[in-house]
């Protein structure tokens, strides 16, 4: 694409996106006297998807979304029959393809079948449920833990269960969607504080704490878009002072942060028991799918008997429980994986900075954003990188503000230094020719 074409592409993109924003307050039903309200193609979201598709195809760029991998998407994957260096998977410790993890999974399926076929309260437990929950409880030095079939549903169900209309939820401004959905469902008042700013949280609580009964503060261990971490010690001090619960979402920090990958508490050298609710997913470092909560017995008992996403949903399947158990064991036994991941991420971050690329507040822990401030440019760069054999996803407006549109690299312990250096060289070359 020539610079002029790119400019036109960007202009169209933004026009369409702004029109889309405006249409949120002017739903078709209110504007058009005779809309066909049964026609799914009139949905606002569908219009936006169609716009993105037509702009991408008009610009000769394939959609960067839903790329189909023909093989396991580790540090290397295969797209359209071609090997690519892959930075689009969360398999941070490379365990999703580990032969011991696969063997444990196979064994669990052979013994228990492929589904537990109902909610655990009805269909009963399997030993791997209890084994995984006690391993997670041990990891967080907590009384107990509970596993759900989805990480997203873990946040939604837990938050909606714990707080209600007389309560307040305060979260970091960059918190994950699952926390926002849970907050909405709970009926509690929701407020946010500026990213990673415990002083702003303190001020907010000074102003508003007394109006509410319970207050739940939610932060992430490692932020999934920006790759930075909170100062846990300071958040604990604030939550103690204002008598709140503190919930930490460790989706991206378990297996990544701390000398042996124990997560945010190890990274910040804080006893795990200082946090009221540890939440995490099985889908990243633990090579599976699902989510968990770890904490004190009354918390876990309440969720076990009352959280809708646990009680009214099927129990974790054998092929999800077994790999997570084995991955947790391997995390303990093979700390070199965590060290390799940390070196790789630091190498990629240092290389991006040396190229003069904008990486925001990224601290070099597995997630490296390259902020371009231009959705069209991010889409094109992702496309050109794929042509050069490197798979990295663009993050575009409206998922982030246009000025924050970016490429996001997920690094793994399996990436080689050579793969990282080739990526940097290619990225540098493409950036030089596109500016
Ligand atoms: C911070 C955070 N929490 C929760 C989730 C949901 O987890 P899952 O994808 O395992 O459902 C994600 C997903 O990426 C996440 O980034």
């Amino acid at each position: 694409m020539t610079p002029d074409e790119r400019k036109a592409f960007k202009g169209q993109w933004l026009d369409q996106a702004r029109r889309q924003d405006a249409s949120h307050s002017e739903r078709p039903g209110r504007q058009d006297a005779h809309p066909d309200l049964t026609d799914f193609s009139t949905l606002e979201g569908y219009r936006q998807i169609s716009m993105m598709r037509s702009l991408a195809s008009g610009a000769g760029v394939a959609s960067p979304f839903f790329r189909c991998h023909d093989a396991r998407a580790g540090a290397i994957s295969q797209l359209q029959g071609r090997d690519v260096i892959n930075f689009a998977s969360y398999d941070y410790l490379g365990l999703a393809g580990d032969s011991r993890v696969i063997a444990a999974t196979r064994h669990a399926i052979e013994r228990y079948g492929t589904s537990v076929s109902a909610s655990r309260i009805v269909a009963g437990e399997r030993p791997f449920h209890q084994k995984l929950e006690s391993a997670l409880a041990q990891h967080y030095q907590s009384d107990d833990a509970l596993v759900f079939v989805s990480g997203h549903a873990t946040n939604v169900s837990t938050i909606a269960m714990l707080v209600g209309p007389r309560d307040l939820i305060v979260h970091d401004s960059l918190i994950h969607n699952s926390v926002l959905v849970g907050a909405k469902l709970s009926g509690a008042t929701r407020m946010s504080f500026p990213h990673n700013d415990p002083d702003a949280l303190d001020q907010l609580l000074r102003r508003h704490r007394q109006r509410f009964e319970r207050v739940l503060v939610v932060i992430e261990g490692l932020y999934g878009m920006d790759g930075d971490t909170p100062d846990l010690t300071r958040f604990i001090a604030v939550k103690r002072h204002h008598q709140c619960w503190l919930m930490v979402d460790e989706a991206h920090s378990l297996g990544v942060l701390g000398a042996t990958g124990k997560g945010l508490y190890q990274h910040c050298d804080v006893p795990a028991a200082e946090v009221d609710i540890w939440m995490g997913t099985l889908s990243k470092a633990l090579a599976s799918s699902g989510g968990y909560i770890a904490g004190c017995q009354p918390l876990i008992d309440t969720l076990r008997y009352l959280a809708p996403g646990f009680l009214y949903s099927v129990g974790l399947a054998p092929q999800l429980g077994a790999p997570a158990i084995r991955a947790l064991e391997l995390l303990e036994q093979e700390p070199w994986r965590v060290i390799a991941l940390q070196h790789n991420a630091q190498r990629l971050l240092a290389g991006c900075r040396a190229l003069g690329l904008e990486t925001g507040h990224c601290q070099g822990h597995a997630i490296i954003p390259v902020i371009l401030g231009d959705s069209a440019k991010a889409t094109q760069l992702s496309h050109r990188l794929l042509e050069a054999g490197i798979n990295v996803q663009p993050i575009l407006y409206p998922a982030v503000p246009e000025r924050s549109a970016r490429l996001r690299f997920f690094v793994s312990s399996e990436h080689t230094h050579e793969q990282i250096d080739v990526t940097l060289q290619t990225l540098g070359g493409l950036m030089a020719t596109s500016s």
Side-chain angles (χ1 to χ4, degrees), residues 90 150-152 155 176 178 220 249 251-252 279 281 283-284 290:
Y90 311 123
S150 140
H152 193 282
N155 272 337
H176 189 260
S178 49
E220 288 181 33
D249 179 336
H252 296 279
M279 180 272 167
T281 65
S283 60
K284 282 122 185 136

Side-chain angles (χ1 to χ4, degrees), residues 301-319:
D301 282 349
T302 305
L303 297 175
R304 197 185 295 277
Y305 281 90
L306 297 172
F310 180 81
L311 188 61
Y312 298 105
S313 189
V314 69
L316 200 73
Q319 64 271 27

